[in-house]
Every structure is written in structure tokens, then in C-alpha cells.
């Protein structure tokens, strides 16, 4: 949803440059939608035109720049490491936004925005919340929903893409995994619940969403399991052969690097499915004669209860809830394949003394940090080629004596000569302190986004 | 017990339908034909025993009235006494081709007359019984076509009304010679199974209710019905009486394919494929089921699975959005596989499958074995 907001913002800029800046915020976005409406087989485009006209008379909104990230702020990947504040100033400078490219700055700005939206659902005044409200109210426009609910065949990919380009959703639609009939409906209800969470304050929009809810229940509540299967199979045909990788899916290990979704062989079963493993034999009278078990290879648990199909209720199913509201652990930035990512993700948020030591070593190498005489044995860190310390000791014990190797001493400690060399290199890193402050901050930010 | 063999690449990925793999075995020519539905088209390919693809062909669903291109629901080879026909069912109608897919022999358009606006119109469920081909419909009706030994003069002989919900699958078995033996089973979206006896006029023998859980796949062998349900269960019934013999909680998701070649193969969307050994116990006469092997195809929603040879020592699997047919074969020699099986002169592992005894004289019915020449593509 926020990506749609960014795109809407960038589209304003192009509209503003080429035409008179009369159209407001979503109006600009909707105008683009209209230009390709001939691809749509039915008429939702016309309805959005009417909504767009309503917005066009509003005052144009400029994106706020007061909360641009400070240049002294650290890079996103290094922000959450505890103890980072105590690191040497020079290191901080290197890792800060001063030397980073625009992409890093934008990453931080994006994160701030998302945090704002997710943490302050009641804040309807800010721009971000207003964007959300506008998008949701456009999407749930009554007439549009009525058109949508008419039975029709599958749109072509192009037509659907046009619709979704402007009405993007923040929660996921993992149709592969939704299994038993009504699960698909529960996922949709989860989506609607999340949307309702976003727009708690605006009663009109809430009413629209509730109406949609009623319509959903009416239309789909009466369908049988077989019909749901058919709907699901038809929708899967739509997604067939698309191997688009979504970053949040990759992060959550829901998708592999090849684009295929991960199907776990454990976890809760849909309501009505028994845990596999039982073979029951009956005789001709219908009495159970034998009960046998077999190994089925997965580890499943039965569903605790059935999800609720009411307007408000416990859906039980986790699928369809907001993925962005979950806190993610810090990951060390890797440019390699996802296997590397899995191996080196820092799971614990507890202070990691190793990280601190590494940074201290870095500072020492660059020079400038005085070594405080350690009171006890040097904490430092040493290179361990084995997975645990015990293995290393064992390996040391079992190493035959004749294979003595030469110890190469890496002179990594303070060396006067290297120190001077490094200091000179550091000097070359000095930034010429002339921030490029152009006349309008807006252009700056938008220019940044265009470079993405 | 089974190991993965070389996969056969497909030109398009498989669609997320049930029973989305059809296999025609031609042991005389040492070939196997595979049929997979992609979406609006179906892919046919022939492969040598090692999985080397030899020829490929794509068939499109015939356009009819409607906005979007029609989607194919199932493709299946029907082995009849004097010919083999390839049948394609779609959202527009039923297409029948010669077995290599070269010539369309018959086209039957679906009549959407009494379908309400919200119902989808399609044909699904294909099986051959004697010289009839049965095809199921969205309305629950089953069309029975009378197929001549040669030529395109195919006639719609009967319309069976046993189901109220769309038909999902049909299974047949060669009649054992007696009169009242059931040889056709039809399944539908509500889980109801109807057991029929084929003939110039089909007769409904018994009904087995399903309690709302759809039955996407059904098989029939030696008077035993094997049905896979949407809640992951496989149930074995006696065909003539409809009594339940065995209930297996086999899978964690809906079953999408079954095959019976005297072993039972079950595949579901939970990425697992299981093989079960069936036998009749001497006392009591009831059926015993034993789990032989389970295969996990990681991160793949399996949508079709079939045995590739009459003894059940190799099988093929297709998955949603997977552009290949996965093959597995047994690493045991046939002698070791099960007792009471005729000794094959060669060890299966060495792949010398020249046995002319493919149509052996054992009482087991040979499934889908084609005895007449089929034109090679």
C-alpha cells in the first residue's frame, strides 16, 4: 500500500511538471488509471473517474520533508546493534548517512514512514494516514464493489494489473496455501480486518468496508467446498508462471530465491482435516476391525477451532494478516544468495559482544582509538574455524605433532608507520562540507525516488 | 524404495487442477505418452523408458462463445477395444482426438441453457468403459458416448442423472464377464459416489454419500472403489454393496490424484505422494492396507500422479507451476517387490524392459495396455 503511495507521489510530480498542478493527490493517480481504461472489460474505470473528479478540487498536498533523515544517522543495517553508540566517532562517520548513497537514505525514510503508519493508527492528521484513507475509500466505493461482485470471467493479466496498480494491498494473498474451502473466505476476512484497523476513525469508510463484508458473506458464504476449489484453481491459473519475488516474502522465508513459495510440511491443519497417520479397517457389518498407524513424513497439528465468519470474530487462521506489523530481527547486510542470508541472520537481539569487539578492532586498525589497558585477559575475539569451542580444542588435541605449521603473525596491532598511512587515507575521506541544498526540498526527494 | 529419475521437461507448467496427469503406456513400442493440462492448452508428449522426451504436441481448447480463452479441465486417454482416443474437456465442450492428438474426431459443445448466471459451465471427468466413453458435466449429468471401432461417427447415447453437483472424476474397470458387476463409478463435488453397470442402458447400482466433502479423484479395481476426498482421506469401498472397508487419514490437504495399479497411489497438495499396498485377507474377506512408501516433493503443490507401468514400479508426478514431469522408479527388482508375482527374467534396475510378457496371463487386469498399433508422432 505504501508503495502505491510512493508511486502516487511520483506520479504527482510528473503531472505537476507536464500540466498545471490542479489535480490533488489521488486524482493524479486516478487520472493515470483512466488513460488505460479501455483495457478494462467492465466499467470500474468510469466510477473511479467520478471519484477522481471529487478529489481534483482539493488543494494539492505536498509531501513533508521536515522529517528527512539526519545525515548523522547511521545506516539502516547498523542501527539496531546495541552498543553502537559507544563506537568511535570515525567509525560512526563511515557508517552514517553522510557517506551513504541516496538509496540508503530512502531506505531509512521508508522505514520511518512504515513505522509511523503501523504504530499510530489513530493519527489521522498526517499525510500518510490520509493517503491510506483515500485509497481505502476509493477501493471500497459501493458502486465499484457492486460491479466487482457481478459474476464474470477472469480478467486478463493486463486489465487486472491496471486495477491493482492503484489499489495495492498491504497484506498477502498466499493462495497456494489456503486449502479447505472456507479458508479462502477467512483469508479475505483477515484482509478486511486489517483494513478496518487502518481506518478506525473514519466512520464512512468503515461503513463501506462493512457493506463489502456483508456482500462477501452473501455471495461466498453459500458456496460449497467444490465451488471454492474451482474458484481457487481458476485464480491459480492467473498466477501460474509468474515467478515474481517479493522482498517481504523472501525475508520471511515464505518464498525461495527461485520464486517458488515454501510449502511447510508441519503446522496447523485446516478445520475438518484429521492429522494423517491412521488406517482404520472395517468389516462388512461396519464395525471397526483394525486400527493401524503409518509414518506420513510431516508434523501436523489439528486446528483448535473453526474460524468465525461473522463481521467481527476470531478468524483462527493466521493467513491474510498484516505482514508489515511484525518486528523483524536485524540482518547483516549480504549481497549474496539467500543461503547466505539464512546462515548469517542474527537471530538474537541481546547485546552481542562479538559485534562490539569487531567494531573496536576496526577502529583500532584505522587508528585513533587508544587501547585501554584491559584489567583482565584481553577480551577480543579469535578466529574459530570450528563450530564450537569444544571441537576446536579436540581438533587441537588430535592434531599430530609432526604436522606443525608455521604460524604467520599478522601484525594487526598498532604500528606507527601503518598508522600514519591510514590517517592519510582517512583524511582523503573528508567530505567537502557543502550540502546540496537546492531551492525546493520537494524536488530533491522526488529526484531521489526517481533514481530508484 | 523409490528413487527419483530424470524429469521430463514440459513446455508449459502444469495447472492447479485435480487429476492433472494422464499416462498411456505402450509397452509394445517401449513408449509412454504423458498428457498435462497447462491452462488454455494441453501438452502431450511421448517419452522413452529412461525419460528421454521424444515428441511433443500442444492442443488448444476450442473457442466457443465467451470473452476469455476457454480453460481445459482435464485430458485423458481412453483405451477402447479397437482404438485409443484422447479426450479433452474444457469450459466450452468436449473434444476427442486420435490418440496422438493429430486429428480431432469429435466435438461436443456444452449447452449452458439451464445454468444460472453464477454457475460455471464445464465438463470434467473422463473414462472409457467397453466401447463407451463417459464424460461428466457441471450439472452433475454424465454423458455417455458410443464409439465406433473406426471413424468419427460418435453418438451421444445416454445422459445419466445421478448427481446434483458438478462431476469431478469417473473411474471404470473392464467388466469381469458377469452381468451385475459394477464397472463405472462417478464422483462429484459433494462427495457422492454413484456406482453403475455399463451396457446399452446404464444402470445405477448403488450410491455412497459423501457428507459435503468433495471427492476429486476416484479409482476402481477388482470391485474395490478407492476415493480420495477434500479433507485428505482415502476411503476404500466395496463396489457392489457400497460398504466402507478402509478409511485412511492419508494427507493433510485435499487429495488431487489417485491411481490403482494394483498398488494405490495417492497424491495431495500437501506435497506428499504415498503408495499403499492392498491385499485381500483370506479370512473375513476384507481389504488390508499397508503403507509402502511416502515421497515428499518439496514446495510443490502436487496436482497429478500416475503409475507409468502395469506393475506399479514407476510413477510420474506433476505439480502446480512446475514445468516438468517428475519420475520415480522402484529400486527393488520385481521379485523382491512382493510375493506371488511372476518372476521377471531381468532385474528391473538394469532397465532391460523388453518383456513381451507385458500381457501376462495372471488374473490381474492389465490397465491401459494397448494392444494395437498406434501411429507414432
Amino acid at each position: 500500500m505504501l508503495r502505491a503511495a510512493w508511486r502516487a507521489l511520483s506520479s504527482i510530480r510528473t503531472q505537476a511538471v507536464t500540466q498545471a498542478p490542479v489535480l490533488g493527490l489521488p486524482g493524479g493517480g486516478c487520472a493515470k488509471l483512466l488513460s488505460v481504461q479501455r483495457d478494462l472489460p467492465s466499467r470500474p474505470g468510469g466510477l473511479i473517474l467520478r471519484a477522481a473528479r471529487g478529489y481534483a478540487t482539493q488543494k494539492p498536498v505536498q509531501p513533508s520533508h521536515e522529517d528527512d533523515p539526519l545525515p548523522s544517522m547511521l545506516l539502516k543495517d547498523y542501527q539496531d546493534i546495541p552498543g553502537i553508540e559507544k563506537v568511535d566517532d570515525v567509525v560512526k562517520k563511515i557508517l552514517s548517512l553522510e557517506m551513504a548513497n541516496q538509496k540508503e537514505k530512502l531506505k531509512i525514510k521508508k522505514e520511518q514512514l512504515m513505522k509511523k503508519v503501523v504504530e499510530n493508527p489513530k493519527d489521522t492528521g498526517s499525510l500518510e494516514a490520509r493517503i491510506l484513507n483515500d485509497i481505502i475509500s476509493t477501493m471500497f466505493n459501493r458502486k465499484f464493489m457492486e460491479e466487482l461482485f457481478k459474476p464474470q470471467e477472469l480478467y486478463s493479466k493486463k486489465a487486472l494489473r491496471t486495477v491493482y496498480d492503484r489499489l495495492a494491498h498491504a497484506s498477502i494473498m498466499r493462495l497456494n496455501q489456503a486449502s479447505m474451502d472456507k479458508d479462502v473466505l477467512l483469508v479475505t476476512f483477515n484482509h478486511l480486518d486489517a483494513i478496518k484497523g487502518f481506518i478506525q476513525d473514519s466512520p464512512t469508510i468503515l461503513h463501506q468496508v462493512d457493506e463489502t463484508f456483508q456482500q462477501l458473506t452473501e455471495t461466498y458464504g453459500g458456496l460449497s467446498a467444490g465451488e471454492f476449489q474451482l474458484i481457487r484453481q481458476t485464480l491459480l491459473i492467473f498466477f501460474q508462471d509468474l515467478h515474481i519475488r517479493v522482498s517481504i516474502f523472501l525475508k520471511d522465508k515464505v518464498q525461495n530465491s527461485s520464486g517458488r513459495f515454501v510449502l511447510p510440511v508441519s503446522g496447523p491443519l485446516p478445520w475438518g482435516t484429521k492429522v494423517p497417520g491412521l488406517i482404520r479397517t472395517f468389516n462388512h457389518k461396519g464395525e471397526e476391525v483394525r486400527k493401524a498407524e503409518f509414518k506420513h513424513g510431516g508434523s501436523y497439528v489439528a486446528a483448535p477451532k473453526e474460524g468465525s465468519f461473522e463481521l467481527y470474530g476470531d478468524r483462527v487462521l493466521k493467513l491474510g494478516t498484516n505482514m508489515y506489523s511484525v518486528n523483524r530481527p536485524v540482518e547483516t547486510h549480504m549481497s549474496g544468495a539467500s543461503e547466505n542470508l539464512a546462515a548469517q541472520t542474527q537471530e538474537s537481539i541481546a547485546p552481542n559482544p562479538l559485534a562490539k569487539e569487531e567494531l573496536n578492532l576496526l577502529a583500532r586498525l584505522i587508528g585513533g582509538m587508544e587501547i585501554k589497558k584491559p584489567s583482565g585477559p584481553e577480551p577480543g575475539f579469535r578466529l574459530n574455524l570450528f563450530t564450537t569451542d569444544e571441537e576446536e580444542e579436540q581438533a587441537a588435541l588430535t592434531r599430530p605433532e609432526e604436522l606443525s605449521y608455521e604460524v604467520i603473525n599478522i601484525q594487526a596491532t598498532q604500528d606507527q608507520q601503518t598508522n600514519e598511512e591510514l590517517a592519510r587515507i582517512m583524511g582523503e575521506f573528508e567530505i567537502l562540507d557543502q550540502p546540496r541544498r537546492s531551492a525546493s526540498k520537494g524536488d530533491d526527494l522526488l529526484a531521489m525516488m526517481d533514481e530508484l | 524404495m523409490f528413487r527419483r529419475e530424470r524429469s521430463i521437461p514440459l513446455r508449459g507448467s502444469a495447472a492447479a487442477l485435480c487429476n492433472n496427469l494422464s499416462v498411456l503406456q505402450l509397452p509394445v513400442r517401449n513408449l509412454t505418452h504423458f498428457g498435462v493440462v497447462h491452462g488454455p492448452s494441453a501438452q502431450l508428449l511421448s517419452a522413452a523408458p529412461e525419460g528421454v522426451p521424444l515428441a511433443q504436441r500442444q492442443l488448444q481448447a476450442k473457442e466457443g462463445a465467451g470473452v476469455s480463452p476457454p480453460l481445459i479441465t482435464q485430458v485423458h486417454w481412453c483405451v477402447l477395444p479397437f482404438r485409443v482416443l484422447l479426450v479433452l474437456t474444457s469450459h466450452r465442450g468436449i473434444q476427442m482426438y486420435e490418440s496422438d492428438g493429430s486429428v480431432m474426431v469429435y466435438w461436443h459443445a456444452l449447452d449452458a441453457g439451464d445454468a444460472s448466471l453464477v454457475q460455471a459451465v464445464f465438463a470434467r471427468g473422463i473414462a472409457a468403459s467397453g466401447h463407451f466413453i463417459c464424460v461428466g458435466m457441471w450439472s452433475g449429468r454424465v454423458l455417455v458416448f458410443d464409439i465406433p471401432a473406426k471413424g468419427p461417427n460418435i453418438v451421444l447415447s445416454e445422459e445419466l442423472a445421478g448427481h446434483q453437483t458438478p462431476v469431478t472424476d469417473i473411474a471404470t474397470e473392464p467388466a469381469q464377464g458377469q452381468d451385475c458387476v459394477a464397472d463405472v463409478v462417478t464422483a462429484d463435488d459433494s462427495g457422492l459416489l454413484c456406482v453403475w453397470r455399463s451396457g446399452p442402458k446404464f444402470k445405477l447400482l448403488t450410491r455412497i454419500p459423501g457428507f459435503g466433502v468433495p471427492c476429486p479423484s476416484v479409482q476402481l479395481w477388482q470391485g474395490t472403489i478407492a476415493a480420495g476426498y477434500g479433507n485428505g482421506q482415502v476411503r476404500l469401498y466395496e463396489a457392489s454393496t457400497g460398504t466402507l472397508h478402509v478409511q485412511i487419514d492419508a494427507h493433510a490437504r485435499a487429495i488431487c490424484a489417485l491411481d490403482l495399479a494394483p498398488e494405490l497411489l495417492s497424491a495431495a497438495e500437501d506435497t506428499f505422494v504415498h503408495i499403499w499396498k492392498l491385499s485381500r485377507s483370506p479370512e473375513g474377506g476384507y481389504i488390508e492396507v499397508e503403507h509402502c512408501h511416502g515421497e515428499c516433493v518439496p514446495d510443490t503443490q502436487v496436482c497429478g500422479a500416475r503409475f507409468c507401468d502395469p506393475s506399479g514400479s514407476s510413477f510420474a508426478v506433476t505439480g502446480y507451476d512446475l514445468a516438468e514431469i517428475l519420475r520415480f522408479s522402484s529400486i527393488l527388482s520385481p521379485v523382491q517387490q512382493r510375493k506371488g508375482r511372476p518372476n521377471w527374467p531381468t532385474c528391473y534396475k538394469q532397465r532391460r524392459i523388453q518383456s513381451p510378457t507385458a500381457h501376462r496371463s495372471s488374473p490381474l487386469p492389465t490397465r491401459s495396455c494397448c494392444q494395437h498399433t498406434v501411429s507414432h508422432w
Side-chain angles (χ1 to χ4, degrees), chain B residues 128-130 172-177 181-183 220 222 365-368:
Chain B
S129 168
T172 57
E173 179 174 45
Q176 304 282 337
V181 165
D183 52 352
L220 182 58
Q222 284 205 333
T366 54
R367 293 190 85 259
S368 314

Side-chain angles (χ1 to χ4, degrees), chain A residues 305-326:
Chain A
K305 55 181 167 147
E306 193 175 5
S308 147
F309 290 99
E310 302 298 320
L311 202 58
Y312 294 96
D314 181 14
R315 310 286 174 211
V316 181
L317 195 64
K318 288 281 167 278
L319 215 54
T321 50
N322 192 353
M323 279 182 95
Y324 288 113
S325 58
V326 174

Side-chain angles (χ1 to χ4, degrees), chain A residues 422-435:
Chain A
L422 286 167
R424 189 181 59 77
I425 295 174
M426 263 306 299
E428 286 170 18
F429 277 156
E430 283 303 323
I431 340 160
L432 310 141
D433 233 325
Q434 288 151 27

